[in-house]
Amino acid sequence: MNKKILGMGNAVLDIVTSVTDDYLKSKKLSKGSMVLVDQKISDQILNEIKPIKKDSGGSVANTIVGISLLGNSSYFCGKVKNDKLGDDFVSDMKETETIFLCNQSLDGLPTARCIVFVTPDGERSMQTFLGASTTLSEHDVQESFFSEIDYLLIEGYLWSSEIARKSIEKAVAISLKKGIKIVFSLSDSNLVKMYRKDFKVFIKSNVNILIGNEDEFEVLFSDEEDERPQKLLNTEIIVKTKGKDGAEIYHDDGKKEHVNAVKVESVKDTTGAGDMFAAGFLFKILKGESPIEAAKFGCKSASLIIQQFGARPSLKILKNIFGE
């Protein structure tokens, strides 16, 4: 019997657009990074761009949906408003057979959105208005959500909201009591820089599996001379994604293994590559397979998503390619 996973993260509508490098510079956006903005700035950009694709998104939401599409039971806890974007988000989750747990808010901030700028080289840069997602509170997290859960996946992005951090604390306390393993995604290098000390304390105390990319780990360990991250962080497994160079797996016994990336003919959009890697990796972990086999499948999953615009693959494509 496959194990089940619950994800906690920002519930965001992704709006993908194609732009030039000069456009990024004009908006003072750093390529490959994510920046938070208020609703006014987000509205201004929306009036300037031509969307290519719109999807319900958010890092952990994308991963959880990927796991659902691959055929494993998965649950999501995030906050949206009872507005059009919020209704669309919940509807999209249901279509992928992902169980959406939290109630929509009746007032307050509108549902969050992330504008994804894709440059000709396929790199994505993000400008995010977090809106209602920042209001995910400890009152939204119910102990009943965890009754059949084996893994809890949390995204670092939630750290930008003090209210959401309280929801994490409650979810972790419940998970530790029930023996649920905790997976943490570093999410973004700028975020890691802002909360490096907090992240290290949280990881050492609570996290079983840590996932991040090269840039995020470089920032996380920028004040350390020791090159053995699994020892420093006291985790069972650390997964470092390296783009076209694949991924590295660090085990708690000090062993490090490398997995090659899957080559593709052309890269259209790297949006969601890390999210889909995590989906493939965790899907195999939930099936009881080894971290190295899970990482191989994660690389296959990531290779699929970078050949299309947007962060969500279709069920048909996944079944045709992976036979799951």
Side-chain angles (χ1 to χ4, degrees):
M1 181 177 177
N2 292 351
K3 295 181 177 180
K4 297 180 180 180
I5 188 167
L6 163 62
M8 288 181 63
N10 290 324
V12 185
L13 182 74
D14 286 341
I15 302 170
V16 183
T17 186
S18 180
V19 299
T20 64
D21 288 330
D22 287 339
Y23 183 85
L24 285 187
K25 291 178 182 178
S26 71
K27 299 301 176 184
K28 298 181 180 179
L29 291 167
S30 177
K31 183 182 287 191
S33 67
M34 185 277 295
V35 62
L36 298 177
V37 297
D38 59 25
Q39 185 176 357
K40 181 179 179 181
I41 293 176
S42 181
D43 287 344
Q44 290 173 347
I45 294 294
L46 281 177
N47 289 330
E48 296 178 6
I49 65 169
K50 183 178 181 181
I52 296 173
K53 186 177 182 181
K54 295 182 181 180
D55 273 322
S56 295
S59 179
V60 160
N62 289 337
T63 295
I64 290 297
V65 165
I67 294 170
S68 291
L69 290 173
L70 287 166
N72 202 97
S73 296
S74 57
Y75 302 76
F76 180 74
C77 181
K79 200 68 175 177
V80 296
K81 190 178 182 181
N82 186 24
D83 55 16
K84 178 62 168 62
L85 295 185
D87 291 343
D88 288 345
F89 188 96
V90 174
S91 177
D92 285 351
M93 298 296 271
K94 288 180 178 178
E95 285 183 9
T96 65
E97 298 185 1
T98 301
I99 300 173
F100 187 86
L101 296 171
C102 299
N103 293 326
Q104 295 172 249
S105 59
L106 300 177
D107 51 26
L109 294 169
T111 297
R113 62 197 181 219
C114 175
I115 304 175
V116 183
F117 305 93
V118 183
T119 42
D121 58 0
E123 185 61 271
R124 89 284 184 274
S125 310
M126 297 175 289
Q127 187 185 72
T128 305
F129 165 58
L130 290 174
S133 68
T134 62
T135 66
L136 177 67
S137 75
E138 57 188 310
H139 304 295
D140 293 306
V141 179
Q142 305 299 318
E143 188 161 348
S144 60
F145 294 172
F146 299 80
S147 60
E148 298 181 349
I149 300 300
D150 301 283
Y151 286 82
L152 170 66
L153 170 61
I154 303 168
E155 68 180 44
Y157 284 129
L158 285 177
W159 236 264
S160 60
S161 165
E162 290 187 17
I163 296 173
R165 285 204 296 273
K166 293 293 184 182
S167 70
I168 291 175
E169 291 174 7
K170 182 175 181 180
V172 168
I174 296 171
S175 296
L176 294 177
K177 182 173 67 174
K178 292 180 174 291
I180 297 169
K181 291 196 173 186
I182 296 172
V183 186
F184 187 58
S185 168
L186 291 173
S187 298
D188 180 78
S189 58
N190 288 333
L191 195 77
V192 177
K193 185 176 181 180
M194 291 174 62
Y195 300 106
R196 182 171 60 215
K197 290 183 180 180
D198 288 347
F199 277 11
K200 282 188 174 181
V201 171
F202 176 74
I203 293 164
K204 288 179 181 179
S205 302
N206 305 298
V207 175
N208 301 99
I209 300 176
L210 178 65
I211 302 176
N213 63 32
E214 281 187 295
D215 292 340
E216 291 156 5
F217 277 108
E218 183 178 349
V219 174
L220 188 66
F221 295 122
S222 61
D223 58 347
E224 302 280 2
E225 294 182 0
D226 197 318
E227 296 182 353
R228 295 167 292 175
Q230 72 280 14
K231 180 179 179 181
L232 289 169
L233 298 178
N234 195 35
T235 55
E236 295 176 19
I237 303 169
I238 288 178
V239 185
K240 182 193 290 185
T241 58
K242 305 179 69 175
K244 62 182 178 59
D245 294 321
E248 290 177 348
I249 307 297
Y250 297 81
H251 302 267
D252 56 3
D253 60 2
K255 184 179 180 182
K256 181 175 79 171
E257 297 180 278
H258 180 265
V259 174
N260 292 324
V262 175
K263 293 183 179 179
V264 300
E265 292 185 3
S266 63
V267 177
K268 286 186 177 180
D269 176 14
T270 58
T271 305
D275 302 338
M276 199 59 201
F277 172 92
F281 176 83
L282 292 171
F283 173 71
K284 291 296 186 180
I285 292 293
L286 293 169
K287 290 171 71 71
E289 299 196 21
S290 70
I292 195 69
E293 291 302 316
K296 289 177 182 178
F297 193 72
C299 286
K300 289 181 180 178
S301 303
S303 72
L304 167 68
I305 206 68
I306 62 176
Q307 296 181 71
Q308 65 165 51
F309 283 110
R312 295 278 177 91
S314 69
L315 179 59
K316 180 179 179 180
I317 291 174
L318 285 175
K319 283 187 174 180
N320 287 341
I321 293 181
F322 299 123
E324 296 289 348

